[in-house]
Amino acid sequence: MRDTAKHQGLRNQLVTVLQQKGITDRNVLEAIKKIPRHLFLNSGFEDFAYQDKAFPIGAGQTISQPYTVAFQSELLQVKKDDKVLEIGTGSGYQTAVLCMMGAKVYSVERQNELFKSTSLLLPKLGIRPKQLSFGDGYKGLPNFAPFDSIIVTAGAPFIPQPLMAQLKIGGRLVIPLGEDVQVMTLLIRKNETQFEKHEFGDFRFVPLLEDKN
């Protein structure tokens, strides 16, 4: 679990790249500056960990590119102690960014191998989400709802109804929507029945699978 001055230097460079790509949220940039992304990757990728690229992490999943993590995190507008539901824990890197931003994170992962490895890794790094769950992300976590915001880190063909129901009024849901290429989509809940929708260009994600535990 080594994190060296060289790693820190590479993180500082990564933050500069993200700023050049338009990320402005100080909270997001500070979190990315602090979190040792190389520890979330297979050691074979360590030398590439601070490039703005996605990498495989096992179970057919990927760790999203840092720009995507930063972009989604920025859209959430996280405030300290916000309750955030994350669908797709994956490597735990996005989880760590949200925790570092001051969120109380409830995360769901449907791949048991990833769920186990991430549950072990995060505490070693001093990162403590409120809840890591193994289960179907389409269902969310109704027992812990409502949430200030919800982030989905896999491409979805549609917005799962249970997730919309678990969002607070005024809350923000960030989800990549689409089959092959996804459009980053933000829903803001206006009242019991109305949501305001914003779209932010194309991204590529692994698919969000339903009932595949």
Side-chain angles (χ1 to χ4, degrees):
M1 305 294 273
R2 284 171 58 250
D3 187 30
T4 63
K6 179 186 165 202
H7 290 128
Q8 185 59 64
L10 292 169
R11 282 203 287 283
N12 292 346
Q13 286 172 18
L14 173 60
V15 164
T16 303
V17 168
L18 296 179
Q19 286 175 304
Q20 286 163 351
K21 289 187 173 185
I23 302 294
T24 57
D25 187 322
R26 296 296 331 154
N27 231 349
V28 175
L29 295 167
E30 281 303 313
I32 285 172
K33 200 178 273 188
K34 287 185 185 134
I35 294 166
R37 185 174 188 249
H38 62 283
L39 299 178
F40 291 83
L41 293 169
N42 182 312
S43 56
F45 292 114
E46 183 176 338
D47 292 348
F48 310 105
Y50 297 105
Q51 293 178 9
D52 191 18
K53 292 199 174 111
F55 291 103
I57 52 170
Q61 304 298 299
T62 54
I63 180 171
S64 293
Q65 80 177 87
Y67 173 71
T68 304
V69 171
F71 191 86
Q72 284 195 283
S73 302
E74 186 167 84
L75 283 182
L76 288 179
Q77 298 186 357
V78 174
K79 297 183 291 302
K80 190 165 164 35
D81 293 334
D82 271 3
K83 264 174 83 175
V84 179
L85 173 62
E86 178 190 31
I87 305 301
T89 318
S91 67
Y93 180 69
Q94 174 75 73
T95 320
V97 168
L98 293 168
C99 288
M100 195 69 83
M101 288 170 70
K104 293 177 172 164
V105 182
Y106 297 75
S107 191
V108 185
E109 174 54 55
R110 59 171 200 86
Q111 300 282 0
N112 205 13
E113 126 188 30
L114 290 178
F115 168 70
K116 284 179 175 159
S117 58
T118 301
S119 299
L120 291 172
L121 174 65
L122 290 174
K124 285 183 188 161
L125 301 176
I127 292 160
R128 292 188 166 64
K130 292 297 272 184
Q131 174 86 14
L132 288 179
S133 305
F134 171 59
D136 180 356
Y138 268 80
K139 299 187 174 81
L141 288 174
N143 295 351
F144 297 100
F147 295 96
D148 294 297
S149 51
I150 299 175
I151 177 172
V152 179
T153 61
F158 58 88
I159 302 172
Q161 204 59 45
L163 300 187
M164 293 169 75
Q166 289 169 38
L167 191 62
K168 257 186 195 165
I169 290 173
R172 302 167 80 85
L173 168 64
V174 174
I175 183 168
L177 276 183
E179 298 283 351
D180 296 330
V181 175
Q182 290 82 35
V183 174
M184 191 64 74
T185 305
L186 166 66
L187 285 191
I188 301 171
R189 184 165 202 173
K190 289 305 189 187
N191 54 40
E192 284 302 323
T193 54
Q194 287 174 304
F195 291 81
E196 183 181 290
K197 184 177 178 186
H198 303 263
E199 293 182 339
F200 298 90
D202 295 349
F203 287 78
R204 277 188 183 276
F205 283 81
V206 293
L208 176 65
L209 300 177
E210 191 170 8
D211 293 330
K212 291 284 189 334
N213 290 334

